[in-house]
């Protein structure tokens, strides 16, 4: 009997999941993939767009190119999720499933940080990065703040990368001596699970005269005075603000009754929710790992193996191991890597690989291999 599989969200996890299911089950996969966007953009590509390295069209991967046996892509906006019935309503109709997978990622709660959009900028959305491409050339002197407005947030190294790449950008334009850069983060170190990665980033900040403000988040911006107000009420004046918005699960997930404390709780090993045959993983879920694409991929592999085993009567897979690697831009054309393990021991651990040309090539291959695998390009 064919199983109807409904996957909500075509990000890292959703794309990896449908690819594995198609490979394993072929035309009988019975997968419907729903996303309201018409294209995928790698998270790290937003920094390239922001600093004018590439045009947005160069890094957009249209979902129309997702042509896989047994997989149907539907470009619709999800308006309601009934996890008990495994029924999803969209702006164009209703979809019912035997297996429902929620991989809708996290949305940005701009209203949680008053003044962010009125007097600052955010660089985590595609639109925000594209807007900054035109804003950055106008910044020639004063203080720039890269500020995190809440945790958890996607891609924990990204704010550090933004600060270092901003240093590069201003230096190339010959205005760095007239500018200050501060990085405000709610963590005590840039990458807490990996002391070596954090030490390398702090050393890079010191070399480039970037101020690291640890253990603080930006709670609001005051447009009338151009100051960022931190959660301890300390104020930092700025001439350019680059923000990481507070994250939360999409409204449609919050309204579904699946979420607790803003995200969907799951079994960290199986990615199962409390609703039968309903899975959730990636940024929308509370899994115990960072909100980063590589961890969504790993979780997707476990869910895919579980679905295939259920369909074919095989053994259930081993649980999600919580391991992943993140590339870190250090500026000056250098890329490092941190390998982290969040679930196998009593506490998260991380191993640092120093920046090298080999890792630059490895990061490029990381993107190219997924483009080929998911989009046949």
């Amino acid at each position: 009997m064919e199983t109807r599989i409904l996957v909500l969200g075509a990000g890292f996890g959703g794309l990896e999941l449908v690819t594995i299911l198609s490979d394993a089950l072929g035309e009988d996969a019975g997968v419907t993939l729903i996303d309201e966007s018409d294209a995928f953009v790698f998270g790290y590509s937003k920094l390239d767009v922001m600093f004018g390295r590439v045009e947005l069209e160069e890094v957009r991967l249209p979902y129309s190119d997702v042509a896989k046996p047994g997989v149907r892509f539907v470009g619709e906006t999800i308006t309601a999720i009934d996890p008990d019935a495994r029924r999803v309503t969209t702006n164009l109709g209703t979809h019912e499933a035997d297996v429902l997978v929620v991989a809708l990622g996290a949305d940005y709660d701009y209203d949680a940080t008053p003044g962010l959009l009125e007097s600052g900028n955010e660089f985590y959305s595609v639109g925000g990065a594209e807007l900054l491409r035109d804003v950055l050339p106008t910044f020639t002197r004063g203080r720039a703040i890269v500020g995190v407005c809440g945790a958890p947030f996607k891609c924990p190294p990204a704010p550090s990368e933004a600060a270092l790449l901003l240093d590069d950008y201003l230096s190339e334009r010959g205005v760095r001596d007239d500018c200050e850069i501060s990085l405000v983060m709610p963590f005590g170190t840039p990458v807490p699970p990996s002391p070596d990665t954090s030490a390398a980033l702090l050393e890079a900040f010191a070399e480039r005269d970037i101020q690291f403000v640890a253990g603080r988040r930006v709670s609001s911006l005051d447009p009338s005075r151009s100051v960022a107000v931190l959660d301890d009420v300390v104020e930092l004046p700025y001439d350019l603000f680059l923000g990481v918005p507070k994250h939360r699960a999409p409204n449609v997930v919050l309204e579904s009754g699946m979420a607790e404390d803003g995200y969907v709780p799951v079994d960290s090993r199986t990615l199962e929710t409390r609703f039968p045959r309903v899975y959730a993983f990636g940024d929308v879920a509370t899994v115990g790992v960072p909100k980063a694409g590589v961890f969504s991929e790993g979780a997707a592999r476990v869910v895919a193996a579980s679905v295939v085993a259920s369909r074919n009567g095989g053994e259930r897979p081993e649980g999600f191991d919580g391991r992943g690697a993140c590339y870190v831009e250090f500026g000056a054309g250098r890329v490092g890597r941190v390998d982290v393990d969040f679930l196998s021991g009593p506490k998260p651990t991380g191993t640092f690989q120093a920046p090298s040309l080999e890792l630059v090539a490895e990061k490029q291959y990381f993107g190219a291999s997924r483009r080929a695998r998911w989009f046949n390009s």
Side-chain angles (χ1 to χ4, degrees), residues 142-270:
R143 173 186 275 181
I145 295 177
V146 179
V148 178
C149 300
F153 55 92
K154 303 177 189 180
C155 192
S160 299
E161 294 178 305
L164 291 166
L165 293 175
L166 180 60
D167 174 84
D168 273 1
Y169 177 81
L170 297 174
S171 297
E172 290 165 3
R173 290 174 51 215
V175 298
R176 180 64 177 95
D177 290 344
D178 297 320
C179 302
E180 301 175 41
I181 301 174
S182 297
L183 170 60
V184 179
M185 288 188 70
F187 308 143
T189 58
V191 183
S194 175
D196 289 344
T197 307
S198 291
L201 284 168
L202 290 172
E203 182 180 350
F205 297 158
E207 290 173 353
R208 293 163 174 249
D209 196 22
I210 295 172
Q211 178 192 22
F212 180 64
V213 181
R216 297 289 183 271
R217 66 173 178 84
V218 177
S219 60
S220 66
L221 302 182
D222 185 338
S224 64
R225 297 183 296 132
S226 293
V227 297
V229 183
L230 308 189
D231 53 357
D232 61 356
V233 199
V234 167
E235 296 182 348
L236 297 179
Y238 66 87
D239 299 281
L240 173 69
F241 185 85
L242 308 178
V244 178
K246 183 179 179 182
H247 291 28
R248 60 170 172 77
N251 283 333
V252 70
V253 174
L254 298 177
E255 293 164 358
S256 72
M258 299 181 68
E260 295 177 12
D261 299 322
Y263 294 97
V264 181
V266 298
D267 182 309
S268 294
R269 295 296 182 178
T270 66

Side-chain angles (χ1 to χ4, degrees), residues 10 31-38 63-64 66 71-75:
V31 175
T32 299
L33 174 64
I34 303 179
D35 200 292
E36 66 179 358
S37 300
D38 64 352
Y63 288 130
S64 58
V66 178
V71 175
R72 178 173 68 106
F73 175 78
V74 176

Side-chain angles (χ1 to χ4, degrees), residues 6 20 32 40 47 49 56 59 75 78 85 94 142 168 201 205 219 238-239 251 351-352 361:
L6 188 57
I20 296 173
T32 299
F40 173 79
L47 287 173
V49 171
L56 178 58
V59 295
I78 298 165
T94 300
D168 273 1
L201 284 168
F205 297 158
S219 60
Y238 66 87
D239 299 281
N251 283 333
T351 303
F352 178 60

